[in-house]
């Protein structure tokens, strides 16, 4: 059901069973031995139609949903909807007990606060599987985590804590890419020292009296880390987008936003008042067409030229596991004189040989990206966001960003955690710990993805992305997968509608440098078992497993099923 | 159009620069740098001053108990939560804090956010959608304005604290409803007000608002960032101050960055209302949760508030004292209620241009800093505010300020104002 990403390797005729005609290689699955030798020699490989923009192979795949699976998924939703109507009917006529809270007696004649239909999905589908989300934990969110056990006696309407703690659950859900979520070590000690000295809160905004010397130190360090002239840090990653995009563009400007952008980017774009046009996910033809049309035809109705064009993309898309085609986006932006806003929430620290994100991954110049945005929550084990770029940009944001004027500045121990972890990644603390973490994450990613594909699951996204979506499709399997994995002591994240399209529910694994090979192997064994139990191995491109090369730039051959 | 014509247009088009250039002496470009903790004795730009600018109402910023609680949490959980609430980002500390806040405010449920600004800005669009009507005070703070903009609802502004104006708008809406009863049946109405207004230091007339609520069937959302931990016998805010049943207010939102000296915000109310935000509050669902050490500090601050309820009377006394002392300064007028701990000093007579006013006030602020009284101007985004307040100096009272320091501040401001404005 999913259209293949445009560009590189995917405009080839396919046969009905999913294999490509004329013996060519489908994207990401097969490399002939000759091509593999070329890749091993570090040469440009299989992206010739883009004029050699890519210095390394770009392997991204979104296998098509098998027809039978799609049909069964819709049937499943149909059955659930019918039961939903039945249940609502029973609740309305008080045959079944009504568990959810209702409006006060005194306000019963007010216009009802919620539309009945709006909550249909929540009442009848989400409620049944909601024990898979909001699982409370009581330890560091590291490679292993302790989950508080919950029980429900009324089909998930309410939870009771049994008092038991499920210890040592393998954590495949937290965004802990470089393993900095720790309660011991140099980061924690530095944060503790700053907490003693500065306290916890700040009680003022950056422009008033909340600008500490620590904040200035952090901003200089972030600018050095990214390789840009200056940077500015904010207290919340979500708010970094929603408060700064309106400061950069306004009415009369055009925003070209990727189909699958995060809610914060969408909110920021809406609040700015600019016109928004959406291009297909990671599809460069779609983006180019929008750019051409925008400049040629100007604003709708008045035909005046646009004041500015801003392209909003993310480094790694967290639901798809795909990586933005940055070389092509930058080429397009230069050709059409647009500005580029890159949200590296998931890719900073997690991609690239030195952990500098997707710009580093493609070997590009950070000055080519006009606005480099990212968050400190994922790879740095803290919270907050930053924007980096030219000095003029940062000066402008210092005076006009909503956050600098109205929002409280960052808490000092959090700032110190970021400073220490960033210095560690850069190697400025004198150890090679940062480099090892970056490498470990890359190895874990490749290993984990390869093993899952060998088992026969459908895995979306780029080979190098530490976000690994495993397709489930059917609504019942969402709940089943989450619960079965927890029974086997593995905590996973499952996502369904509305975060994903209705027929494409998935389980999403977030790999971490803190995961050792043993932990990954345990997890893989259990995923294999559950996959067989729930019949999740939908892939029709089963890979022959390599027996003797565990951590490798792999070559594998395709078999036809 | 032919291909060549299109290519020509593409060649010719020149965009505006991404950002306009900022002059080196823009008043907001160079921030004051605070070295060390921003507590009662604060070091600003190298000078030691007494802090009259941070919203540290209960003096909890350098409280050793808060630091100890945060430290214990840091040793147990590390710093970040590495995930949103839905995906293993819910810690027992968060559940604890929500419980404690609900119990403290005597409501059924509370929900916490990781950023104060995002609290009300996510809460409003979760309930009010396109087609709904929101009646909001003209002096509402920027976070409320952004929440309203995100909600896409019809906004009707009423004059600041003017209940007659609000009633007029509500009556007009009633007449509209009678013309189109079908539409009226599905249009939700909300009244958004602040307990203590950040921009004017005034208190909202809550009893009248509640009367209007039942008369015209509109729900009340109350923003209590400045009044939480300040007003009322136990610090429960403006509902306790007036003795109103808290169930009459549909949603109370406050940030924990003022009295609780932590970071983040919360909403509290009945479960029927609050639970909805767990799936539709954007700042809650799509953002990482509050770092546990900040939640632990907030719990400890609540403990302190519950243990000495006398602190609120002390704060009120100090507010009254400095309010009285600052009356009668030639050229400056005090704007705000006498029990509001954050109030404004505005120019009695404007020079005619906002830029000049800002410069004058900045002079006063710098001179006061030279004499060891740390003050700040109230900062606004001039082009973005719906109803831009006049430029002013923000004065904040905390329980840590002694009587001598309050007197000193008042006399310093008097002298400096006289020297500069006359």
């Amino acid at each position: 059901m999913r259209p293949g990403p445009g560009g590189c390797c995917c405009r080839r005729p396919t046969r009905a069973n999913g294999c490509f005609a004329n013996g060519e290689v489908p994207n990401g699955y097969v490399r002939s031995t000759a091509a593999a030798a070329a890749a091993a020699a570090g040469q440009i490989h299989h992206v010739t139609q883009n004029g050699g923009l890519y210095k390394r192979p770009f392997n991204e795949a979104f296998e098509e949903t098998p027809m039978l699976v799609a049909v069964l998924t819709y049937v499943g939703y149909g059955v659930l909807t019918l039961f939903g109507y039945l249940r609502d009917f029973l609740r309305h006529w008080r045959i079944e007990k009504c568990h959810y809270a209702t409006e006060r007696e005194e306000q019963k004649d007010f216009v009802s606060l919620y539309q009945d239909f709006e909550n249909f999905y929540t009442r009848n589908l989400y409620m049944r599987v909601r024990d898979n989300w909001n699982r409370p934990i009581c330890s560091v969110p590291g490679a292993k985590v302790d989950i508080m056990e919950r029980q429900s006696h009324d089909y998930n309407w309410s939870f009771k804590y049994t008092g038991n703690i499920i210890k040592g659950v393998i954590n495949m859900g937290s965004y802990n890419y470089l393993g900095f979520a720790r309660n011991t070590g140099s980061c924690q000690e530095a944060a503790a020292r700053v907490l003693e000295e500065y306290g916890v809160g700040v009680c003022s905004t950056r422009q008033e009296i909340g600008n500490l010397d620590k904040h200035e130190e952090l901003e200089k360090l972030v600018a050095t880390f990214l390789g840009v002239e200056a940077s500015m840090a904010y207290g919340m990653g979500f708010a970094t987008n929603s408060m700064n995009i309106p400061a950069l563009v306004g009415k009369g400007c055009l925003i070209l936003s990727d189909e699958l952008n995060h809610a914060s980017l969408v909110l920021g774009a809406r609040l700015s008042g600019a016109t928004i046009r959406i291009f297909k996910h990671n599809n460069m033809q779609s983006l180019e067409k929008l750019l051409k049309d925008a400049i040629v035809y100007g604003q709708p109705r008045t035909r005046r030229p646009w004041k500015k064009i801003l392209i909003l993309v993310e480094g790694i898309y967290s639901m798809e596991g795909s990586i933005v085609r940055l070389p092509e986006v930058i080429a397009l932006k230069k050709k059409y004189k647009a500005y580029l806003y890159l949200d590296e929430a998931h890719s900073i620290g997690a991609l690239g040989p030195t952990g500098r994100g997707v710009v580093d991954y493609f070997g590009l110049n950070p000055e080519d990206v006009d606005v480099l945005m990212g968050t400190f929550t994922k790879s740095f084990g803290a919270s907050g966001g930053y924007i980096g770029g030219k000095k003029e940009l940062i000066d402008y944001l210092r005076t006009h960003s909503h956050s600098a004027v109205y929002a409280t500045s960052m808490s000092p121990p959090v700032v110190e955690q970021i400073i220490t972890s960033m210095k560690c990644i850069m190697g400025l603390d004198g150890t090679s710990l940062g480099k090892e973490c970056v490498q470990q994450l890359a190895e874990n990613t490749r290993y984990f993805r390869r093993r899952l594909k060998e088992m026969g699951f459908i895995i979306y996204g780029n080979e190098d992305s530490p976000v690994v979506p495993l397709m489930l499709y059917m609504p019942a399997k969402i709940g089943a997968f989450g619960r079965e994995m927890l029974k086997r002591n593995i905590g996973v994240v499952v996502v369904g509608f509305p975060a994903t399209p209705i027929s494409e529910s998935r389980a999403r694994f977030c790999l971490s440098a803190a995961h050792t090979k043993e932990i990954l192997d345990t997890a893989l064994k259990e995923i294999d078992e559950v996959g067989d139990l729930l019949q999740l191995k939908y892939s029709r491109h089963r890979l022959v497993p390599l027996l003797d090369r565990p951590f490798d730039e792999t070559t594998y051959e395709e078999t036809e099923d | 159009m032919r291909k060549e014509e299109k290519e020509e247009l593409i060649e010719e088009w020149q965009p505006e620069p991404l950002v306009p250039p900022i002059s080196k002496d823009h008043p907001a470009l160079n921030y004051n740098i605070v070295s060390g903790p921003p507590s009662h004795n604060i070091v600003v730009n190298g000078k030691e001053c007494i802090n009259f600018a941070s919203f540290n109402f209960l003096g909890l910023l350098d409280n050793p108990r808060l630091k100890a609680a945060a430290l214990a949490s840091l040793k147990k959980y590390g710093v970040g939560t590495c995930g949103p609430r839905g995906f293993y980002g819910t810690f027992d500390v968060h559940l604890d804090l929500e419980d404690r806040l609900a119990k403290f405010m005597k409501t059924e449920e509370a929900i916490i956010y990781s950023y104060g600004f995002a609290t009300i800005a996510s809460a409003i669009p979760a309930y009010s959608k396109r087609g709904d009507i929101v009646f909001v005070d003209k002096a509402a703070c920027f976070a409320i304005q952004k929440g309203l903009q995100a909600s896409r609802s019809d906004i009707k502004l009423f004059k600041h604290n003017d209940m007659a104006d609000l009633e007029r708008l509500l009556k007009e809406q009633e007449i509209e409803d009678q013309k189109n009863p079908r539409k009226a049946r599905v249009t939700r109405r909300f009244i958004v007000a602040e307990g203590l207004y950040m921009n004017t230091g005034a208190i909202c007339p809550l009893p009248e608002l509640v009367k209007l609520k039942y008369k015209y069937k509109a729900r009340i959302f109350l923003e209590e960032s400045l009044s939480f931990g300040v007003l009322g016998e136990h610090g429960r805010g403006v509902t306790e101050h007036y003795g109103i049943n808290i169930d009459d207010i549909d949603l109370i939102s406050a940030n924990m960055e003022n009295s609780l000296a932590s970071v983040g915000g919360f909403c509290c109310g009945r479960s029927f209302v609050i639970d909805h935000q767990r799936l539709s509050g954007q700042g809650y669902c799509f953002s990482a949760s509050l770092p546990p050490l900040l939640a632990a500090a907030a719990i400890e601050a609540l403990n302190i508030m519950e243990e000495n309820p006398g602190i609120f009377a002390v704060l009120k006394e100090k507010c009254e004292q400095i309010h009285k002392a600052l009356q009668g300064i030639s050229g400056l007028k005090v704007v705000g209620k006498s029990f509001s701990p954050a109030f404004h000093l505005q120019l009695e007579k404007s020079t005619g241009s906002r830029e000049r006013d800002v410069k004058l006030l900045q002079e006063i602020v710098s001179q006061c800093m030279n004499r060891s009284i740390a003050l700040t101007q109230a900062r606004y985004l001039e082009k973005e505010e719906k109803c831009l307040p006049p430029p002013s100096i923000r004065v904040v009272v905390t329980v840590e300020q002694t009587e001598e320091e309050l007197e000193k501040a008042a006399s310093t401001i008097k002298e400096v104002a006289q020297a500069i404005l006359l």
Side-chain angles (χ1 to χ4, degrees):
Chain A
M1 302 286 137
R2 172 171 249 35
C8 142
C9 318
C10 288
R11 281 171 293 167
R12 301 199 188 147
T14 58
R15 287 198 221 118
N17 64 1
C19 290
F20 285 93
N22 68 32
E24 297 237 24
V25 301
N27 191 8
Y29 280 92
V30 177
R31 289 179 227 175
S32 66
T33 40
Q43 290 168 13
I44 298 170
H45 160 74
H46 82 45
V47 267
T48 46
Q49 59 256 58
N50 290 299
L53 281 174
Y54 289 78
K55 300 190 187 87
R56 57 186 297 163
F58 188 85
N59 292 314
E60 203 162 273
F62 299 92
E63 188 175 330
E64 271 198 29
T65 315
M67 180 61 84
L68 178 63
V69 173
V71 167
L72 285 176
T73 306
Y74 285 119
V75 166
Y77 276 109
V79 169
L80 282 170
T81 313
L82 280 173
F83 269 91
Y85 280 125
L86 173 67
R87 281 244 140 76
D88 276 349
F89 176 79
L90 292 175
R91 274 191 282 259
H92 182 71
W93 290 102
R94 312 240 186 261
I95 302 172
E96 187 175 318
K97 188 162 159 213
C98 204
H99 290 270
Y100 47 87
T102 48
E103 181 65 278
R104 280 170 92 202
E105 274 310 313
E106 297 90 329
Q107 292 179 211
K108 277 265 154 75
D109 54 346
F110 282 42
V111 175
S112 98
L113 189 54
Y114 312 117
Q115 273 178 324
D116 240 355
F117 188 73
E118 201 179 294
N119 287 355
F120 180 86
Y121 179 82
T122 314
R123 274 198 309 274
N124 297 309
L125 277 78
Y126 172 73
M127 268 306 166
R128 302 174 67 142
V129 285
R130 81 169 180 145
D131 54 309
N132 289 304
W133 294 287
N134 296 300
R135 288 185 178 152
I137 70 179
C138 49
S139 74
V140 185
K144 292 204 172 161
V145 74
D146 297 338
I147 298 184
M148 291 164 67
E149 200 184 16
R150 300 186 291 185
Q151 250 181 18
S152 175
H153 299 289
D154 50 4
Y155 299 101
N156 288 346
W157 284 98
S158 65
F159 290 108
K160 283 203 172 37
Y161 294 100
T162 61
N164 278 351
I165 297 179
I166 314 175
K167 283 197 187 287
V169 176
I170 295 179
N171 186 354
M172 309 236 49
S174 289
Y175 302 135
N176 180 22
Y177 298 132
L178 291 180
F180 279 108
R182 304 175 55 191
N183 57 357
T184 52
S186 57
C187 294
Q188 183 262 1
E189 286 164 19
R193 257 175 307 163
V194 168
L195 198 154
E196 276 300 332
E197 193 191 334
Y198 285 79
V200 166
V202 182
C203 295
S204 188
T205 65
R206 290 296 292 281
Q207 282 197 2
E208 293 188 8
I209 207 154
N211 182 43
L212 306 177
D213 46 4
K214 278 276 158 212
H215 296 133
E216 304 267 332
E217 190 188 330
L218 172 65
E219 290 175 351
K220 285 201 188 68
L221 185 64
V222 171
T224 320
F225 180 75
L226 297 171
V228 291
E229 285 177 21
S231 81
M232 189 168 177
Y234 305 94
M236 186 197 199
F238 185 98
T240 308
N241 281 333
S242 66
M243 296 206 215
N244 289 305
I245 297 179
L248 294 174
V249 289
K251 272 205 171 64
C253 304
L254 176 65
I255 292 183
L256 297 176
S257 162
D258 188 293
E259 205 179 351
L260 299 176
N261 269 339
H262 188 256
S264 56
L265 289 166
V266 172
L267 182 63
R270 266 186 45 213
L271 288 177
S272 68
T275 311
I276 308 174
R277 294 203 180 138
I278 314 258
F279 62 91
K280 295 209 191 77
H281 176 58
N282 233 359
N283 186 324
M284 295 300 109
Q285 283 74 30
S286 174
L287 176 58
E288 184 159 17
K289 179 168 192 312
L290 285 181
L291 279 166
K292 266 206 186 102
D293 286 347
I295 300 180
V296 164
Y297 296 111
Q299 299 189 31
R301 291 191 301 274
T302 59
R303 297 280 193 223
R304 281 203 207 104
W306 294 102
K307 288 196 201 152
K308 305 178 228 187
I309 300 182
L310 185 67
I311 304 174
L312 293 183
V313 288
E314 289 187 42
I316 293 182
Y317 291 89
S318 59
M319 282 301 155
E320 305 288 309
S322 49
I323 298 182
V324 67
R325 292 168 181 276
L326 197 59
E328 292 176 68
V329 175
I330 290 187
L332 280 176
K333 140 191 133 87
K334 283 185 175 156
K335 180 172 172 193
Y336 294 96
K337 296 182 245 154
Y339 299 112
L340 180 58
Y341 185 107
L342 178 64
D343 177 342
E344 291 209 78
H346 285 269
S347 52
I348 192 74
L351 282 185
T354 54
R356 304 298 213 268
V358 71
V359 173
D360 188 29
Y361 175 73
F362 286 113
L364 299 167
N365 185 354
E367 295 187 2
D368 281 335
V369 181
D370 301 286
V371 188
L372 273 168
M373 178 266 168
T375 62
F376 299 120
T377 326
K378 283 105 189 172
S379 302
F380 301 97
S383 80
Y386 66 85
I387 288 193
K390 295 215 155 43
K391 188 156 186 316
E392 295 88 54
L393 169 71
I394 301 301
D395 278 349
Y396 179 79
L397 286 177
R398 280 171 75 104
T399 51
H400 287 83
S401 161
H402 304 182
S403 175
V405 186
Y406 295 106
T408 309
S409 31
M410 290 169 83
S411 165
V414 175
V415 173
E416 186 63 23
Q417 161 80 14
I418 304 168
I419 293 178
T420 323
S421 59
M422 203 174 262
K423 283 194 175 145
C424 182
I425 298 176
M426 289 165 80
L428 291 179
D429 61 341
T431 67
S432 61
L433 182 62
K435 201 150 192 266
E436 284 164 16
C437 284
V438 174
Q439 272 169 355
Q440 181 72 34
L441 177 64
E443 282 173 11
N444 282 357
T445 305
R446 279 197 290 273
Y447 178 64
F448 195 75
R449 277 178 167 267
R450 184 175 60 83
R451 285 289 305 277
L452 281 179
K453 286 201 191 123
E454 281 171 10
M455 289 178 196
F457 295 102
I458 295 186
I459 306 290
Y460 273 10
N462 196 301
E463 249 183 35
D464 290 313
S465 132
V467 175
V468 186
L470 185 152
M471 300 311 290
L472 300 172
Y473 297 114
M474 298 177 201
K477 296 193 184 181
I478 304 175
F481 191 79
R483 289 171 191 148
E484 286 297 320
M485 292 303 286
L486 188 60
K487 271 195 215 147
R488 292 165 170 74
N489 240 26
I490 301 185
V492 299
V493 161
V494 288
V495 240
F497 184 78
T500 63
I502 195 151
S503 62
E504 291 180 10
S505 347
R506 59 201 72 176
R508 190 188 66 175
F509 302 104
C510 286
L511 295 169
S512 162
H515 288 141
T516 60
K517 186 159 182 298
E518 290 74 41
I519 293 181
L520 287 183
D521 283 336
T522 320
L524 284 164
K525 183 161 101 27
E526 303 295 353
I527 296 174
D528 200 8
E529 231 181 85
V530 176
D532 283 326
L533 178 69
L534 297 178
Q535 296 187 4
L536 291 172
K537 297 184 178 175
Y538 301 121
S539 177
R540 286 173 296 191
H541 304 286
R542 212 152 283 225
L543 300 169
V544 173
L546 281 178
L547 297 167
D548 50 11
R549 270 185 289 173
F551 281 103
D552 207 31
E553 297 284 338
T554 52
T555 39
Y556 20 81
E557 322 227 322
E558 179 188 81
T559 59
E560 283 191 21
D561 261 354
Chain B
M1 254 187 262
R2 290 201 313 267
K3 192 163 174 226
E4 299 79 47
E5 288 175 337
K6 286 190 182 175
E7 308 222 327
E8 235 184 81
L9 281 169
I10 294 173
E11 269 294 313
E12 286 173 4
W13 180 69
Q14 280 300 335
E16 278 180 13
L18 179 59
V19 289
I22 298 290
S23 79
K24 267 204 286 284
D25 37 81
H26 191 285
L29 178 59
N30 299 309
Y31 299 158
N32 294 320
I33 301 186
V34 174
S35 353
S39 47
H40 181 62
N41 294 308
I42 189 173
V43 179
V44 186
N45 296 333
K47 269 190 290 281
E48 249 207 58
C49 306
I50 305 174
N51 193 346
F52 276 84
S54 300
F55 292 110
N56 181 16
F57 304 137
L58 302 180
L60 293 174
L61 263 186
D62 48 4
N63 186 303
R65 278 173 63 179
L66 251 80
K67 288 190 191 173
L71 197 60
S73 176
L74 174 63
K75 291 208 165 102
K76 185 172 179 199
Y77 300 108
V79 175
T81 55
C82 298
R85 288 291 292 260
F87 303 154
Y88 303 102
T90 303
F91 284 53
D92 45 358
V93 203
H94 298 137
L95 299 173
D96 239 348
L97 178 58
E98 287 181 353
D99 217 26
R100 289 294 304 277
L101 282 167
K103 282 207 181 70
F104 180 77
M105 293 294 285
K106 301 209 171 129
T107 59
E108 280 175 20
E109 200 173 328
I111 180 175
I112 52 180
Y113 284 82
S114 54
Y115 204 49
F117 189 102
T119 311
I120 190 70
S122 304
I124 294 180
Y127 302 100
S128 183
K129 314 275 184 197
R130 203 193 285 269
D132 296 332
I133 304 174
V134 184
F135 301 92
V136 65
D137 192 302
K138 273 200 171 131
C141 66
F142 196 71
I144 295 181
Q145 291 173 33
K146 285 293 134 186
L148 291 171
Q149 192 186 351
S151 72
R152 296 197 255 221
S153 319
D154 290 326
I155 317 290
K156 299 209 182 329
L157 296 161
F158 62 90
K159 293 205 196 85
H160 177 48
N161 263 355
D162 188 342
M163 290 297 107
D165 201 35
L166 174 58
E167 185 146 19
R168 174 185 65 86
L169 287 171
L170 286 164
K171 273 209 175 70
E172 279 173 17
Q173 185 56 40
E174 215 181 22
I175 298 176
E176 283 292 323
D177 289 344
Q178 281 161 359
K179 285 192 202 145
N180 194 343
R182 258 175 121 209
K183 186 170 169 211
R185 255 197 305 246
V186 290
T187 310
R188 295 176 274 257
R189 297 119 220 280
F190 301 97
I191 301 175
V192 179
E194 286 180 50
L196 271 177
Y197 285 88
M198 170 83 101
N199 293 344
T200 62
I203 190 172
C204 80
L206 200 57
E208 282 91 39
L209 274 176
V210 174
K211 277 204 205 89
L212 287 173
K213 163 186 171 167
Y214 286 111
K215 189 168 171 197
Y216 294 96
K217 316 238 184 296
R219 293 192 165 88
I220 298 185
F221 285 175
L222 202 57
E223 219 283 325
E224 289 221 65
S225 293
L226 283 192
S227 47
F228 177 78
V230 169
L231 291 182
E233 202 189 314
H234 296 100
R236 295 199 177 101
V238 73
T239 46
E240 203 184 22
H241 178 88
Y242 282 115
I244 292 179
N245 178 7
I246 199 147
D247 282 335
D248 279 334
I249 312 295
D250 296 89
L251 179 94
I252 294 186
S253 148
N255 70 24
M256 305 193 284
E257 295 161 354
N258 301 339
S259 313
L260 290 180
S262 179
V263 173
F266 69 91
C267 288
C268 61
R270 298 189 309 280
S271 292
F272 174 69
V273 180
I274 298 297
D275 205 48
H276 180 71
Q277 280 180 53
R278 295 202 192 269
L279 283 179
S280 28
Q282 292 228 318
Y284 180 83
C285 303
F286 296 113
S287 175
S289 46
L290 185 65
L293 64 100
L294 298 169
I299 295 179
E300 194 58 32
L302 266 181
N303 287 343
I304 296 178
M305 271 169 69
E306 286 179 345
E307 285 164 21
N308 15 356
I311 204 173
F312 308 111
V314 173
L315 180 63
K316 193 165 172 185
E317 247 181 68
K318 296 199 193 238
C319 294
E320 309 260 352
Q321 184 189 344
I322 197 168
H323 222 92
K324 225 167 57 186
L326 283 174
Q327 299 291 343
I329 301 185
S330 42
L332 287 179
K333 61 178 175 189
V334 178
V335 174
K337 270 271 192 270
S338 63
F339 49 74
S340 165
F343 56 90
H344 296 258
L345 286 170
Q346 288 175 9
L347 290 170
E348 246 169 28
K349 221 168 71 112
S350 159
T351 60
S353 99
R354 194 188 171 94
E355 222 185 295
R356 268 202 300 264
D357 286 349
V358 168
K359 270 210 176 83
L360 260 182
L361 290 170
Q362 192 55 39
E363 254 310 301
I364 302 180
V365 167
S366 318
Q367 288 288 345
C368 287
M369 281 270 217
N370 285 341
R371 299 182 198 206
S372 304
I373 299 288
L375 290 172
T376 175
Q377 274 201 67
R379 300 282 183 182
Y380 303 104
L381 275 175
E382 293 167 7
K383 297 208 181 70
E384 310 273 337
E385 285 265 1
K386 271 218 172 87
C387 306
L388 182 61
S392 62
I393 299 177
R394 202 194 292 281
V395 182
V396 180
V397 182
T398 77
V399 284
E400 286 187 314
Q401 292 154 358
T402 63
E403 289 195 14
E404 295 82 39
E405 287 168 345
L406 288 169
E407 288 298 327
K408 177 168 181 239
S411 50
T412 312
I413 299 176
K414 265 202 177 100
E415 284 167 27
V416 169
Q418 264 197 323
I420 295 184
L421 293 175
L422 289 181

